[in-house]
Amino acid sequence: MNRREFIKFTGVSAAYLLGSNLIASCNNSSSASKNRLYIPSDSSQLLGYYKPSGRFEIYSEKASMEIFKGKQTDMLVYRVKHANKTYYNPIIIIRKGSTFEVDFINRIGEESIIHWHGFRAHWRADGHPAYSVANGNMYSYPSINIIDRSGTYFYHPHPHGRTGFQVYHGLAGMIIIEDDDEDRLKTSLDLQYGKTDVPLIIQDKTFNSKGSLIYNPMGMNGSMGMWGNTILVNLTPNPFMEVERRIYRFRLLNGSNARPYRLVLKRGSQKVKFWVIGVEGGLLDKPYETTEILIAPGERIDILIDFRLANVNDVLKLYSLEHGLAGMMQNMRMGSSIEETFEVLEFRVKKNTNYDKAIPKTLSSISKINTTNVVTRNINLGMSMGKFNIDGMLWDKNDALKDYGYNFTKGDIVEITFINNTGMFHPMHLHGFQFQVIKRVNSPSVIKNLAIDSSGIMVTDLGWKDTVIVGPHESVTIAVDMSHNFNDEQVYLLHCHILEHHDQGMMINYRVSA
Ligand code: C2O
Ligand code: CU
Ligand code: CU
């Protein structure tokens, strides 16, 4: 059997996920059996680009997918039907300034709700677990005015205690917001969705020999989170992508439950530079050249790679290197590739072009939050009795709207310092607002080595963020402008985006007055 023959994808069949070949592979452990990276096109169902027009319905339901040739994997998916076309986990494209209106119908057999990660939405439209709906029920979201900047956003479930399970089983999707800055970039680099503007949704999962998912978070009470032994990019195990000698834009979304990636691009043993152009809250002021980035669960990083730096027939590989962020996992290794160096994606440079565009000089403008008058707040990240907590507290599942003592006034400029008293990293995430990273203190070497100035921050800390890595025993200060457009009190979440930490209670409500 020629293994390459197995790389099949049936693009438009109605039974797309049910019984037809999705992404097939013979064997994902040998490097001989690479699979073509799944990249959606205009006609795709899975991860298809979907532009809503008016209110739409999104279902969560059970589905089976063929991730490995001849094996059915029971998963959960989001499904949208539009103009006789069905999309699974669509990449939703919306315009800044437009209105996002959606009804969510839950059919996964347990309660769920969708959170629009990164949107500055009214809290009743934000997917707070208080609005979870039982199987068979619907949540009709109040319409959301899209005020956020062009960039890569994330939607996923947010029910109490089951987020990790549901995301792991497939409920995770990308949203792209477009605006004028984005239009300019797209024109200047001649970027096209699904061709040269490519989503890279990176996840790790563990399958049994029949192809079924195993959800088995590690450590005491699963407190280390779910670390899978198979890396998937756009649900493709062991992927390769053929590229031309020109600039590509990649939208990286770390949709893993717990695993951070320390990414480098290499040709042979030589590092190849690339450019960071955006993070969670959209485009940076300009491209920043680098050779290495860290991306934690929940983070999105948009990058440009110029394959003119390589020759036709060159192979470039995106690797994840050891990072030391997982504390005791490092030593224990738990029988899986927690801390190893592994390959994430292989690029095969196939073709010359007469492409003559250059990396742009500017992208957007970012105004710095004025921190002359700030409210400061320290938030301690700790662990007690096998569970990670926030200021010693755990989320109270019996009181979803509980007051944990984080109450702010509309318009406050708040400087929050996360003080990590544990040996494991925590990617801290805020709902409701985007923030700016101000400084890092006592950073582990993997972060310190990427510092761009004396504040200790990394390139991927620049711009507007919604999730920030807080390394083992590190302190990270962020600034949040709590101005909002709503005339009632907002109840937002602050939590760790290691989904098992969040499910076990590393989450609190904070309130911002009307
Ligand atoms: Cu993506 Cu509350 O999280
Ligand atoms: Cu969020
Ligand atoms: Cu955590």
Side-chain angles (χ1 to χ4, degrees):
M1 295 188 292
N2 174 356
R3 285 179 171 165
R4 296 218 169 96
E5 294 303 304
F6 290 130
I7 302 153
K8 275 189 236 158
F9 159 61
T10 57
V12 285
S13 99
Y16 185 63
L17 294 166
L18 299 155
S20 60
N21 287 338
L22 172 54
I23 300 152
S25 77
C26 211
N27 163 358
N28 73 321
S29 59
S30 121
S31 64
S33 64
K34 298 251 169 172
N35 305 302
R36 189 175 293 278
L37 175 72
Y38 178 77
I39 300 173
S41 69
D42 280 341
S43 58
S44 296
Q45 297 193 294
L46 183 70
L47 309 183
Y49 293 102
Y50 167 59
K51 283 193 187 181
S53 47
R55 189 165 279 272
F56 68 100
E57 292 181 333
I58 186 164
Y59 291 78
S60 62
E61 52 192 30
K62 297 180 178 171
S64 117
M65 282 196 208
E66 194 168 322
I67 289 176
F68 300 99
K69 172 70 182 170
K71 293 177 182 177
Q72 293 298 314
T73 303
D74 290 333
M75 298 187 68
L76 303 173
V77 288
Y78 289 118
R79 178 175 60 81
V80 170
K81 206 167 170 186
H82 179 79
N84 286 323
K85 185 172 160 188
T86 303
Y87 297 85
Y88 298 99
N89 288 359
I91 295 178
I92 302 171
I93 299 180
I94 43 183
R95 188 88 197 165
K96 180 178 175 182
S98 72
T99 304
F100 184 73
E101 298 182 292
V102 57
D103 292 339
F104 166 59
I105 300 106
N106 176 21
R107 296 221 177 123
I108 60 170
E110 62 179 53
E111 85 172 14
S112 196
I113 188 71
I114 304 179
H115 166 54
W116 315 103
H117 179 139
F119 281 13
R120 286 173 286 167
H122 189 280
W123 79 280
R124 291 181 199 279
D126 183 54
H128 191 285
Y131 289 102
S132 289
V133 291
N135 183 52
N137 288 358
M138 174 173 94
Y139 184 70
S140 183
Y141 287 79
S143 63
I144 299 173
N145 293 321
I146 301 296
I147 60 167
D148 299 304
R149 304 166 67 247
S150 54
T152 306
Y153 295 77
F154 184 16
Y155 64 100
H156 64 75
H158 222 297
H160 172 74
R162 294 289 284 175
T163 299
F165 179 90
Q166 293 180 12
V167 170
Y168 184 77
H169 283 83
L171 295 177
M174 183 180 278
I175 301 174
I176 294 174
I177 297 182
E178 295 178 336
D179 65 9
D180 297 347
D181 292 336
E182 173 66 27
D183 294 349
R184 251 189 317 273
L185 173 65
K186 194 176 287 186
T187 310
S188 75
L189 290 181
D190 179 33
L191 299 174
Q192 241 189 303
Y193 288 133
K195 293 207 164 65
T196 50
D197 178 328
V198 176
L200 298 179
I201 302 173
I202 308 174
Q203 298 176 302
D204 59 333
K205 301 185 192 295
T206 299
F207 299 86
N208 69 14
S209 60
K210 294 194 181 103
S212 305
L213 282 167
I214 297 169
Y215 183 67
N216 182 21
M218 291 184 276
M220 200 202 307
N221 300 322
S223 61
M224 292 297 155
M226 178 64 216
W227 298 66
N229 62 13
T230 303
I231 306 298
L232 304 173
V233 183
N234 302 343
L235 294 172
T236 317
N238 216 15
F240 76 89
M241 176 184 175
E242 290 181 348
V243 295
E244 300 181 351
R245 290 186 70 239
R246 54 159 290 155
I247 295 173
Y248 285 70
R249 183 232 194 110
F250 294 97
R251 297 172 183 269
L252 275 53
L253 186 167
N254 185 346
S256 307
N257 282 38
R259 185 188 291 275
Y261 300 87
R262 179 185 170 199
L263 299 175
V264 293
L265 182 65
K266 283 186 164 185
R267 178 174 48 181
S269 59
Q270 198 189 359
K271 282 190 185 172
V272 178
K273 65 181 174 184
F274 57 94
W275 290 264
V276 174
I277 58 165
V279 293
E280 298 88 72
L283 292 172
L284 301 180
D285 56 340
K286 60 176 181 125
Y288 288 81
E289 185 185 315
T290 188
T291 54
E292 178 179 325
I293 52 170
L294 279 173
I295 183 167
E299 283 189 299
R300 286 89 65 205
I301 302 178
D302 286 13
I303 62 170
L304 298 177
I305 299 179
D306 189 347
F307 290 104
R308 289 173 299 187
L309 295 171
N311 300 314
V312 171
N313 293 327
D314 274 0
V315 170
L316 275 66
K317 294 184 179 199
L318 190 64
Y319 290 100
S320 181
L321 307 181
E322 297 205 19
H323 45 72
L325 293 172
M328 61 193 280
M329 297 297 289
Q330 225 169 320
N331 310 322
M332 289 157 71
R333 290 192 190 258
M334 315 289 285
S336 68
S337 57
I338 294 303
E339 276 287 347
E340 293 164 21
T341 290
F342 52 84
E343 193 182 312
V344 174
L345 175 59
E346 174 177 300
F347 296 104
R348 298 176 183 171
V349 183
K350 281 294 170 204
K351 223 172 110 194
N352 262 315
T353 60
N354 51 15
Y355 187 82
D356 63 353
K357 318 281 189 212
I359 301 290
K361 293 264 178 300
T362 59
L363 297 167
S364 184
S365 57
I366 308 269
S367 38
K368 266 222 145 138
I369 295 177
N370 181 343
T371 52
T372 43
N373 253 314
V374 289
V375 177
T376 58
R377 182 89 197 221
N378 288 345
I379 294 186
N380 278 277
L381 311 177
M383 176 181 238
S384 163
M385 299 194 290
K387 288 182 178 175
F388 290 103
N389 60 46
I390 293 177
D391 285 333
M393 295 179 289
L394 291 174
W395 175 258
D396 183 351
K397 64 168 190 272
N398 299 313
D399 185 3
L401 301 181
K402 183 167 166 171
D403 182 347
Y404 292 87
Y406 303 81
N407 298 301
F408 302 99
T409 304
K410 179 176 180 169
D412 276 354
I413 307 288
V414 185
E415 262 190 26
I416 296 173
T417 299
F418 293 109
I419 303 164
N420 187 353
N421 303 306
T422 78
M424 185 169 189
F425 83 108
H426 301 283
M428 298 307 295
H429 170 54
L430 260 66
H431 290 216
F433 298 95
Q434 293 170 352
F435 55 78
Q436 293 177 352
V437 185
I438 304 287
K439 71 167 189 252
R440 293 181 171 276
V441 174
N442 198 28
S443 303
S445 58
V446 69
I447 291 175
K448 204 183 285 170
N449 292 340
L450 295 176
I452 52 170
D453 59 29
S454 59
S455 70
I457 68 170
M458 305 179 282
V459 162
T460 51
D461 290 326
L462 295 169
W464 291 99
K465 300 276 294 171
D466 64 44
T467 306
V468 65
I469 298 178
V470 185
H473 301 290
E474 190 184 27
S475 294
V476 180
T477 303
I478 62 171
V480 197
D481 177 351
M482 297 209 180
S483 303
H484 62 74
N485 301 325
F486 311 116
N487 47 26
D488 53 350
E489 181 188 72
Q490 300 297 302
V491 185
Y492 288 125
L493 297 165
L494 181 160
H495 64 87
C496 177
H497 220 283
I498 291 179
L499 299 180
E500 287 70 29
H501 292 183
H502 148 193
D503 282 340
Q504 286 168 10
M506 197 178 186
M507 174 159 84
I508 48 114
N509 289 311
Y510 71 98
R511 285 178 158 76
V512 184
S513 68

